[in-house]
Amino acid sequence: MFRSLFKKTDKSVRSGPVDESVHAARPGDLLTISGSYLEFEDAYFLVEKRNRYTSGSIEWHEVLGVDGDKRVWVEWPTHTGPTLTVRKDARPIGLDQAGISKDVLLRMDEEESIDNTLIFEGATYHYENSGEAFFFDSGLGEGDGFWFWEFTSDPESKVLSVVKWDNVPFEVYVSDILPFDSVNVYNQ
């Protein structure tokens, strides 16, 4: 029933199949998230913003969804993959609070070894990648550069991301890894 309230049902208006995946999410659309411990099963998030990122030949997107006082970021690669990440819109954690040192991050960036690990909140996180990336606010502009480090938990249920912008302290974020089809979009 909810879907019928927010989707056009006149099939003559559509020129092709309707994409209800997060790939199609745009400001003004609604999205739902299932399978997350973040307790978003009953929430319908209004997409407020869609951003784009690049790093080398890799591109990914994120949307900010809002439902009252609940705010979430959903992030996914441009190519269709089996998973995406979801995180609460919360204040980032600092390096000290996360128990991570700048020297360790710099060493891991130089080594680029998947044998490197971090311990955070009792869980082991394995180094995935690091490098320079560019942020395109609302998908526009020339892009603002920043540095990032990504680690995946064991088992693979969470991503720990460390971000460093110019003139801003290091920021640490933790996101849930969910199946790609756990997010549905209702186009407006």
Side-chain angles (χ1 to χ4, degrees), residues 4 6 11 14 35 50 57 77 83 87 99 106 109-110 114 116 118 123 128 144 156 175-176 188:
S4 66
F6 292 97
K11 296 189 187 304
R14 297 186 188 138
R50 179 179 173 135
S57 62
T83 61
R87 73 174 164 83
L106 295 176
D109 185 54
E110 288 176 12
I114 59 173
N116 284 319
L118 293 175
E128 290 290 326
D144 295 322
E156 293 184 6
S175 305
D176 283 346
Q188 296 297 308

Side-chain angles (χ1 to χ4, degrees), residues 45 65-72 89:
F45 294 97
V66 178
D67 181 11
D69 61 347
K70 297 177 187 173
R71 297 167 59 90
V72 296
D89 184 41

